[in-house]
Amino acid sequence: MASSYRNSPVCVLLILLSCCAGCCFGFGTFGFDFHHRYSDPVKGILAVDDLPKKGSFAYYSALAHRDRYFRLRGRGLAAQGNDKTPLTFNAGNDTYRLNSLGFLHYANVSVGRPALSFIVALDTGSDLFWLPCDCVSCVNRLNSSSGQVIDFNIYSPNTSSTSSKVPCNSTLCELQKQCPSAGSNCPYQVRYLSDGTMSTGFLVEDVLHLATDEKQSKSVDSRISFGCGRVQTGSFLDGAAPNGLFGLGMDKTSVPSILANQGLIPNSFSMCFGSDGTGRISFGDKGSPGQGETPFSLRQTHPTYNITITQVSVGGSAANFEFSAIFDSGTSFTYLNDPAYTQISETFNSLAKEKRETSNSDLPFEYCYVLSQNQTNFEYPVVNLTMKGGGPFFVNDPIVIVSSEPKGLYLYCLGVVKSDNVNIIGQNFMTGYNIVFDREKNVLGWKASDCYGVNNSSALPIPPKSSVPPATALNPEATAGGITPASAPPIGSHSLKLHPLPCALLVMTLIASFAIF
């Protein structure tokens, strides 16, 4: 008995060390690539062959229109213009036309066993992850104008061996009052900003297939709850998110929250926005040393990724005033109301060297400048923001370059649109950064990155075409009123790594605790 007693602490220590090893692995990062709606891989899958040419007047008008239709309606900005395009979708026996461009970023995710792949829209403005499932009203397939037909995968709990229902007594069930009993399937219904746009069904639990962000990537299966979306309405039937939606909000039902509650990751994720329309989302990424940070300004009800800006600087001319803004990866451009909009745009205009173009009403931008056909470079004022807490946010690319080939007209425009209500920092201001949504510390982080520092673990399932930047390159140079400004931070690799220090400390503590034996 004495020998058994002496060895028992060793056994306990081995068990704890084994658990600790799991903790070390659990606090790694998991991720996958995402692609802009207008990138070649997404267009290749969705066969979108009749949309405006990149960099054209119609291209930027269409992006601004989708912002208003899908993101800003209900936030104080109304949709404008014609919603229709030549692309059609089939839902059952009916044909629906695509309203504008749908969500902005898409990723390939794999769920269930046997695994099925889905091209889901990413949305930091909502919470629930849902898939088209045992459909009553869904987009089942897509027809392009060329006659190509693409069938989408449809999830079914009955065909996945790892699927189980989420009962009404689950803490994730938010519609318990609609349940006939505690053991019934938990229903869900999510309403979105677009008029009449909803997803309705019931919650299920199944395996989400992930991969670690390492050179030698490891497969990791995590059980998550998500929506079996039987009925989609509104813009979802028009192709806004034809194959599912991946919510990234702060609620407990979002995938980052579920993974964090399981102990797999810290409650944080990042999105890195490359200049060519390709990016990377990493769950568990808390950023890296030296990144800028600012606290979230959280609302009591339905908190969003809202931050406070205390200063704007254009071409070296700074103005101090405070306003709040939402960091929204699903919005193409940056939308500001006064006084921020007037301060930035008029200062930019006073420092711009080219002639302002004021006669074109097709563009969403007020401040555009004419470039000559043989002009190979130009200068524009830099735009910098100072966040609450003093962190500088250098806007890498505040302009868009627009071309009209039939007219031979080339412009560059300040990529900011006037808002009557809400302030939104859109994806154009995030390009070239790894943006960290740290929900443990309740801070937004950012650091310059080229977004190519990790392996591609979940590329879209088609051969990628050549990447084309979303605008014509004319070698612009940022300036600060004729003097060399403090430039944007140098581009650096996005470091995605495991976090061994907490584990090491825990191991040392355990060893010290058992040393007395």
Side-chain angles (χ1 to χ4, degrees):
M1 287 292 294
S3 176
S4 174
Y5 176 80
R6 283 195 301 269
N7 289 337
S8 60
V10 177
C11 295
V12 173
L13 177 58
L14 290 174
I15 293 171
L16 289 174
L17 289 177
S18 175
C19 293
C20 179
C23 289
C24 290
F25 179 75
F27 280 91
T29 59
F30 310 93
F32 47 75
D33 297 334
F34 61 79
H35 300 263
H36 192 277
R37 180 67 180 83
Y38 243 126
S39 67
D40 290 326
V42 172
K43 289 201 301 181
I45 291 175
L46 298 185
V48 181
D49 47 12
D50 286 332
L51 292 177
K53 184 178 179 180
K54 292 178 181 179
S56 66
F57 282 64
Y59 169 74
Y60 290 113
S61 295
L63 283 178
H65 173 70
R66 71 150 295 283
D67 282 351
R68 290 179 179 272
Y69 188 84
F70 290 114
R71 307 300 297 178
L72 303 173
R73 182 180 287 185
R75 286 178 172 170
L77 293 178
Q80 298 175 353
N82 187 359
D83 292 339
K84 307 300 182 182
T85 73
L87 186 66
T88 61
F89 288 85
N90 281 340
N93 295 322
D94 299 322
T95 298
Y96 297 85
R97 295 177 67 83
L98 173 67
N99 283 0
S100 195
L101 299 176
F103 282 78
L104 199 59
H105 296 103
Y106 291 78
N108 178 36
V109 300
S110 180
V111 173
R113 190 168 286 119
L116 284 180
S117 293
F118 299 86
I119 309 301
V120 297
L122 304 180
D123 184 19
T124 56
S126 66
D127 301 298
L128 186 68
F129 170 33
W130 61 260
L131 295 172
C133 169
D134 290 346
C135 289
V136 175
S137 174
C138 304
V139 175
N140 296 318
R141 62 184 60 87
L142 176 152
N143 292 342
S144 72
S145 60
S146 63
Q148 182 182 7
V149 177
I150 296 178
D151 289 317
F152 289 125
N153 283 330
I154 303 297
Y155 178 83
S156 176
N158 297 325
T159 59
S160 175
S161 64
T162 48
S163 179
S164 62
K165 70 178 183 179
V166 175
C168 284
N169 58 8
S170 167
T171 58
L172 294 178
C173 187
E174 297 181 347
L175 297 180
Q176 293 180 351
K177 293 182 179 180
Q178 298 183 15
C179 297
S181 66
S184 302
N185 279 9
C186 173
Y188 83 87
Q189 183 178 82
V190 182
R191 296 176 181 268
Y192 296 84
L193 293 180
S194 304
D195 289 349
T197 299
M198 293 188 298
S199 177
T200 305
F202 56 90
L203 296 185
V204 296
E205 185 179 277
D206 208 337
V207 173
L208 174 66
H209 304 287
L210 298 169
T212 59
D213 287 319
E214 302 173 276
K215 290 183 178 180
Q216 299 296 325
S217 182
K218 301 180 181 69
S219 297
V220 177
D221 291 344
S222 173
R223 293 195 65 82
I224 62 163
S225 299
F226 60 93
C228 171
R230 301 197 66 204
V231 178
Q232 270 62 257
T233 63
S235 62
F236 289 142
L237 292 180
D238 298 327
N243 204 211
L245 189 143
F246 203 97
L248 295 166
M250 291 188 167
D251 189 76
K252 62 184 178 182
T253 59
S254 72
V255 172
S257 298
I258 294 172
L259 295 177
N261 288 337
Q262 292 178 356
L264 283 173
I265 61 167
N267 192 7
S268 182
F269 72 94
S270 67
M271 297 183 75
C272 196
F273 299 91
S275 60
D276 62 353
T278 299
R280 181 84 180 169
I281 183 169
S282 293
F283 301 107
D285 183 17
K286 293 178 69 68
S288 55
Q291 71 177 11
E293 289 186 350
T294 190
F296 290 129
S297 302
L298 299 179
R299 299 181 301 179
Q300 290 288 335
T301 59
H302 196 71
T304 57
Y305 300 114
N306 201 61
I307 54 88
T308 300
I309 296 170
T310 59
Q311 184 188 81
V312 295
S313 174
V314 181
S317 176
N320 296 312
F321 53 90
E322 187 171 296
F323 63 97
S324 62
I326 300 170
F327 259 70
D328 184 8
S329 65
T331 303
S332 304
F333 306 118
T334 293
Y335 292 76
L336 299 175
N337 58 25
D338 282 330
Y341 177 80
T342 296
Q343 172 65 31
I344 290 176
S345 58
E346 291 190 356
T347 306
F348 189 95
N349 184 56
S350 69
L351 296 173
K353 297 180 179 180
E354 279 72 26
K355 178 184 177 182
R356 184 180 172 190
E357 167 65 37
T358 58
S359 62
N360 199 304
S361 60
D362 294 334
L363 288 170
F365 313 112
E366 284 191 85
Y367 291 85
C368 296
Y369 305 89
V370 179
L371 297 168
S372 63
Q373 293 188 35
N374 59 355
Q375 189 168 351
T376 58
N377 57 70
F378 63 96
E379 297 179 343
Y380 64 89
V382 297
V383 177
N384 297 326
L385 307 175
T386 300
M387 305 298 187
K388 185 176 182 179
F393 186 94
F394 301 92
V395 181
N396 289 320
D397 197 8
I399 65 168
V400 296
I401 300 172
V402 189
S403 64
S404 176
E405 293 181 355
K407 298 180 181 179
L409 181 64
Y410 292 89
L411 306 173
Y412 76 89
C413 304
L414 176 64
V416 179
V417 182
K418 187 171 185 179
S419 165
D420 296 327
N421 189 305
V422 67
N423 294 307
I424 292 181
I425 304 300
Q427 186 241 309
N428 66 324
F429 273 31
M430 301 185 211
T431 299
Y433 278 104
N434 187 51
I435 304 294
V436 178
F437 300 86
D438 191 332
R439 294 109 63 88
E440 283 188 346
K441 294 170 57 180
N442 280 329
V443 299
L444 181 87
W446 62 92
K447 193 170 186 178
S449 175
D450 62 6
C451 304
Y452 295 107
V454 296
N455 293 335
N456 296 334
S457 63
S458 57
L460 294 174
I462 62 167
K465 300 178 183 179
S466 59
S467 298
V468 180
T472 306
L474 287 177
N475 301 321
E477 297 177 2
T479 66
I483 62 173
T484 302
S487 61
I491 297 298
S493 296
H494 176 29
S495 177
L496 297 172
K497 55 190 178 183
L498 301 178
H499 300 266
L501 180 58
C503 242
L505 293 175
L506 180 57
V507 170
M508 292 171 65
T509 302
L510 289 170
I511 293 174
S513 299
F514 282 94
I516 58 174
F517 293 98

